[in-house]
Amino acid sequence: MNLAFIPSPSTGVIELGPIPLRGYAFCIIIGVFVAVWFGNKRWVARGGKAGTVADVAVWAVPFGLVGGRLYHVITDYQLYFSDGENWVDAFKIWEGGLGIWGAIAFGAVGAWIACRRRGIPLPAWADALAPGIAIAQAIGRWGNWFNQELYGKPTDLPWALEISDGPNRVAGTYHPTFLYESLWCIGVALLVIWADRRFRLGHGRAFALYVAAYCAGRGWIEYMRVDEAHHVLGLRLNVWTAIIVFVLAVVYIVISAKIRPGREEIVEPDRDAAPAKTDGPTDENGSDENGSDEDGSSEDASAKAGAAEKDPFTKDEPREPGKGATAESAEAAGAAGAAEKS
């Protein structure tokens, strides 16, 4: 008899009047918010604008949810399309069932569309978001705890997960694979953060490191699970997927480092730079309607400079050389001499 174990909740739903609050959905939502928040901090630190990560996520998250559900339904089609099963259940995402492989693949498509619309490189955005995705997965895995699903083989270890009787499950204590994967994802996030600071990863390599590290852990965790799954050559389908994706991620890191070493200098060009202020509308030469240039000078200044050379007593004729204060003094002296003679 176990004296210590991880208890499972008696229910994964709290009824708030007519509104059901599902633990699985809360874990997914909280994970998304944390990923966007942390990704935004990293994006701004890379030189991007605040809010860009959230704008791209508006596209990536819905695509990811659809892709994750499609992957689950396709790879576990017998749960929905076999005799005695109701195909409508394939749409009940709140009951669990999101394949991370489909979520990342379709989410990347949505992110690519949004990045093209904003004129920013997808690899740089993915690098900024990579640790946040791992943290989101760590949080999201607790949704499996609420639903009492995707646990491992029977065990009597002190941290065994207690499972109660229910549809497609037998009461007992099992390996808490949801907890193993949650802790592994936190380690992946820390690894990516450290490696990114140490090696200044760029051009999608931080994201590829996240993918490779996650697949390495998912392989052995998947091997421990006892839920129904398709097998290929004696291994679960998701184990093969983890192996293939791991190899692809490592190859990308190696080739990318040779082709495009270093990190992007500019991740989000400033497309909203405002022109220098003027007092009025400017023409194509940079002068406003009053003739003022961008530095505040005016054609009136040239006119005033020319007027300064005119005789102060005659507005129409410019002063000739030799005339001026000296000539006027001479005329005054002559008038004074004539007065003395008289």
Side-chain angles (χ1 to χ4, degrees):
M1 178 178 179
N2 288 343
L3 298 179
F5 53 81
I6 301 173
S8 291
S10 58
T11 178
V13 183
I14 299 177
E15 300 293 342
L16 187 63
I19 303 175
L21 304 179
R22 303 181 183 277
Y24 184 88
F26 268 111
C27 291
I28 298 297
I29 294 171
I30 293 172
V32 169
F33 273 101
V34 171
V36 171
W37 169 78
F38 191 56
N40 181 72
K41 290 176 65 69
R42 285 174 51 82
W43 181 254
V44 172
R46 289 280 300 274
K49 299 178 184 178
T52 295
V53 169
D55 292 343
V56 176
V58 169
W59 286 78
V61 172
F63 272 73
L65 290 175
V66 172
R69 189 59 176 178
L70 280 176
Y71 181 90
H72 167 72
V73 172
I74 292 173
T75 56
D76 291 308
Y77 63 88
Q78 72 280 356
L79 300 176
Y80 308 100
F81 302 104
S82 299
D83 292 338
E85 303 293 345
N86 187 357
W87 63 270
V88 177
D89 293 341
F91 297 95
K92 298 180 179 179
I93 192 173
W94 56 86
E95 293 183 355
L98 287 175
I100 186 61
W101 316 110
I104 294 297
F106 273 62
V109 173
W112 175 77
I113 294 173
C115 286
R116 281 185 59 86
R117 289 167 59 91
R118 294 187 66 94
I120 61 178
L122 174 62
W125 183 87
D127 283 343
L129 203 66
I133 295 177
I135 296 174
Q137 287 179 252
I139 297 172
R141 272 304 173 195
W142 284 84
N144 301 137
W145 175 70
F146 279 104
N147 286 352
Q148 297 194 49
E149 61 183 0
L150 306 186
Y151 43 84
K153 300 174 181 179
T155 182
D156 57 358
L157 291 171
W159 57 84
L161 175 66
E162 183 185 38
I163 296 296
S164 60
D165 277 320
N168 302 319
R169 65 174 186 253
V170 179
T173 54
Y174 301 85
H175 277 285
T177 50
F178 85 91
L179 179 61
Y180 297 161
E181 186 167 337
S182 180
L183 294 176
W184 182 268
C185 287
I186 292 176
V188 170
L190 295 176
L191 172 65
V192 174
I193 292 171
W194 171 81
D196 195 27
R197 292 178 178 176
R198 175 67 177 81
F199 302 106
R200 292 183 57 80
L201 301 176
H203 302 287
R205 289 188 287 277
F207 183 81
L209 176 61
Y210 144 73
V211 172
Y214 171 74
C215 289
R218 178 63 184 268
W220 66 266
I221 293 172
E222 185 75 23
Y223 189 75
M224 296 178 64
R225 283 167 43 172
V226 294
D227 53 293
E228 185 178 357
H230 296 287
H231 287 71
V232 178
L233 299 178
L235 293 178
R236 292 166 65 96
L237 176 61
N238 282 335
V239 174
W240 283 110
T241 304
I243 293 173
I244 294 172
V245 175
F246 172 84
V247 172
L248 293 175
V250 172
V251 170
Y252 177 86
I253 293 174
V254 174
I255 296 178
S256 174
K258 292 182 179 180
I259 297 178
R260 306 188 71 182
R263 176 186 285 181
E264 300 92 339
E265 294 295 330
I266 299 176
V267 297
E268 187 169 8
D270 188 1
R271 304 172 65 179
D272 300 324
K277 283 188 176 182
T278 60
D279 293 333
T282 60
D283 60 20
E284 60 182 358
N285 296 321
S287 300
D288 61 20
E289 292 179 345
N290 297 323
S292 298
D293 296 327
E294 289 182 358
D295 60 358
S297 62
S298 170
E299 291 179 355
D300 292 339
S302 300
K304 291 179 181 178
E309 294 182 0
K310 291 185 178 181
D311 188 272
F313 300 102
T314 58
K315 296 182 180 179
D316 298 327
E317 297 296 331
R319 182 180 298 171
E320 296 178 1
K323 285 189 177 184
T326 303
E328 293 165 5
S329 299
E331 291 176 0
E340 288 180 356
K341 290 180 180 181
S342 62

